[in-house]
Amino acid sequence: PERGDADGPLTTAGEMDRPRANLVSLLREREQAPGRRACARIYEWAVVECYEHGELRSTYCRLPETARSSIALSWSPDMTLLASTHGDHSVRVFNLAHGDCVAELVGHQRTPWTVKFHPCSNDVVVSGALDGEVRLWDVLRARCIASRRLSANAVASISFSSSGLLLAMSTANTVFLWGGETA
């Protein structure tokens, strides 16, 4: 047993022989099959990176001073972009290869509290704000393509269906559905 695991080693010799995965693929693996083995592979990746490079490489997403606080984050489907909401009422989308902001989505009257990428497209983001408004954004053109005011309560959570045809949103004690998918 390795690292005190009574069930045997977390990583087998065969797993160590295959080409080394990058962190994004390891995180995706952990999401698809959570457990000790996935966590151990992430730990081993970090150890190898520190040993080979002396430190972990990272990307800093540059924000303007006006951004104030950062609140919510969402990965794009291919994990190359990151959307974030901010206290200046904006949503920003960052290219993770270089950390630059590729889109600033402006139009919320109150702070957007939640954000999600469309599950099938890097070009569509939805955000929900403290004033109950939900906005659907075209990332490439940095513009709002649809909006709905659900209530006077904050949009606490939003989630696309796996097909991306239906959007669920929650405010206070109500769940709203927006879209055309049926059971």
Side-chain angles (χ1 to χ4, degrees):
E2 193 173 289
R3 282 186 233 125
D5 183 3
D7 298 329
L10 293 174
T11 302
T12 65
E15 287 176 325
M16 291 305 290
D17 292 339
R18 65 183 156 174
R20 198 172 73 211
N22 65 31
L23 182 57
V24 171
S25 67
L26 292 172
L27 290 171
R28 186 178 298 123
E29 177 183 308
R30 184 186 68 184
E31 288 296 314
Q32 294 170 348
R36 288 191 321 258
R37 186 168 309 280
C39 291
R41 288 190 28 87
I42 292 169
Y43 171 80
E44 289 163 355
W45 173 87
V47 168
V48 169
E49 285 294 307
C50 287
Y51 177 75
E52 288 182 0
H53 303 288
E55 62 183 66
L56 288 175
R57 293 167 292 175
S58 62
T59 300
Y60 174 74
C61 296
R62 292 169 281 288
L63 290 170
E65 288 183 25
T66 58
R68 297 182 3 191
S69 58
S70 298
I71 298 153
L73 301 169
S74 177
W75 293 98
S76 64
D78 69 0
M79 300 182 85
T80 61
L81 302 174
L82 187 70
S84 59
T85 66
H86 302 279
D88 64 355
H89 305 179
S90 70
V91 175
R92 290 182 173 83
V93 179
F94 295 92
N95 180 313
L96 295 176
H98 45 72
D100 291 336
C101 182
V102 296
E104 184 173 0
L105 311 174
V106 179
H108 278 292
Q109 298 303 304
R110 297 280 313 273
T111 301
W113 206 245
T114 183
V115 65
K116 290 288 186 287
F117 267 95
H118 188 279
C120 306
S121 175
N122 284 5
D123 303 334
V124 178
V125 167
V126 65
S127 58
L130 291 176
D131 62 359
E133 181 187 37
V134 172
R135 286 180 170 248
L136 192 64
W137 302 94
D138 177 333
V139 173
L140 293 176
R141 292 175 185 81
R143 66 179 185 154
C144 179
I145 53 179
S147 68
R148 291 269 162 88
R149 183 159 317 275
L150 303 178
S151 73
N153 297 312
V155 178
S157 179
I158 51 181
S159 181
F160 278 103
S161 63
S162 59
S163 69
L165 296 176
L166 188 64
L167 181 64
M169 301 147 291
S170 66
T171 67
N173 61 352
T174 307
V175 173
F176 295 89
L177 300 177
W178 184 11
E181 187 173 85
T182 58

